[in-house]
Amino acid sequence: MNEYTSHKAWAIASHNAGKIKEIRELIEPYGLVANGADELNLPEPEETENTFIGNAELKAVAGAKGSGRVALADDSGLEVFALDGDPGIYSARWSGEPRDFYAAMDKVRTELEARGATDYSARFVCALALAHPDGPTRVYEGEVRGHLTFPPRGNKGFGYDPIFIPEGRDITFGEMDPAQKHAMSHRAHAFRLLVDDIFKS
Ligand code: IMP
């Protein structure tokens, strides 16, 4: 037990239902319960940093201050190599307001075609930040590499899942059962680092 695991009710500093569901499924096996930012009435801070890590930290610290709980935040996104890493930290913003990820996926396809790109390789990146209400913040980063396919396939995931095929597979994250995605995703890789640091120390 340490300063993080002695708190049994965590906050997930996110308003994204897809992320909250995945993070909850990852932490529940460790005997923790977690509530999302909406349930805890936490405001959504502006993402003013220019890295995944910076934005994850900013959200976790705001979540811990606002809730008085240990708060876990995720900042993640899709980097497309032929688009110089876009949409990257702007992955959510590419979907507009209200969020429409089919429009965002179409924008990715249009940009690739406009550049005449033939290399559709991409990666998902996830930074997880764990903030203590009166202690330090720890950050972990994971990635999963793969390539994009169009048109989008499958409706099991969220965000850009329907166009992303991870390395070594021939189905998209959108077509995969959650357990399969959890075993290989960028979020799972970051989470494994968190587990090794927090639950095994
Ligand atoms: P933010 O971290 O809330 O700024 O938004 C990250 C955005 O990246 C999400 O809204 C999704 O569009 C995208 N994203 C992050 N992780 C995933 C994933 O596992 N699957 C699909 N899209 C993702």
Side-chain angles (χ1 to χ4, degrees):
M1 194 104 75
N2 55 41
E3 62 196 313
Y4 297 95
T5 53
S6 57
H7 285 246
K8 295 297 175 205
W10 285 12
I12 303 173
S14 173
H15 295 265
N16 177 327
K19 276 189 194 175
I20 293 172
K21 177 174 177 291
E22 287 197 3
I23 293 172
R24 225 181 230 143
E25 286 167 4
L26 287 168
I27 67 176
E28 272 172 1
Y30 294 91
L32 300 170
V33 295
N35 298 94
D38 285 339
E39 287 176 286
L40 297 169
N41 285 320
L42 296 176
E44 195 164 7
E46 204 188 329
E47 295 182 16
T48 49
E49 297 292 325
N50 57 9
T51 61
F52 291 111
I53 286 181
N55 283 325
E57 255 178 317
L58 170 160
K59 289 188 276 189
V61 168
K65 281 207 178 109
S67 66
R69 296 183 179 197
V70 167
L72 184 59
D74 162 312
D75 200 66
S76 47
L78 178 70
E79 289 185 347
V80 182
F81 296 104
L83 302 183
D84 304 320
D86 276 343
I89 59 164
Y90 304 106
S91 293
R93 281 166 262 184
W94 271 37
S95 65
E97 222 32 90
R99 300 261 181 261
D100 177 354
F101 281 101
Y102 282 88
M105 290 187 279
D106 203 48
K107 188 170 169 188
V108 172
R109 184 184 56 79
T110 311
E111 298 273 336
L112 283 167
E113 286 174 3
R115 294 189 189 205
T118 49
D119 176 6
Y120 277 24
S121 32
R123 65 173 190 157
F124 273 123
V125 181
C126 172
L128 286 178
L130 189 66
H132 194 279
D134 23 67
T137 302
R138 301 191 187 199
V139 192
Y140 313 90
E141 198 169 36
E143 68 160 12
V144 57
R145 289 176 177 259
H147 69 274
L148 304 181
T149 186
F150 297 94
R153 294 178 355 212
N155 56 7
K156 290 187 179 162
F158 69 97
Y160 297 87
D161 279 342
I163 57 170
F164 184 82
I165 300 180
E167 249 170 28
R169 303 300 303 268
D170 55 10
I171 59 172
T172 69
F173 269 173
E175 295 172 302
M176 250 180 220
D177 287 328
Q180 276 181 290
K181 181 182 169 189
H182 288 173
M184 65 173 74
S185 77
H186 48 315
R187 194 161 293 104
H189 286 134
F191 191 70
R192 219 159 287 144
L193 297 176
L194 181 152
V195 166
D196 286 347
D197 187 33
I198 297 295
F199 293 103
K200 297 186 177 163
S201 62

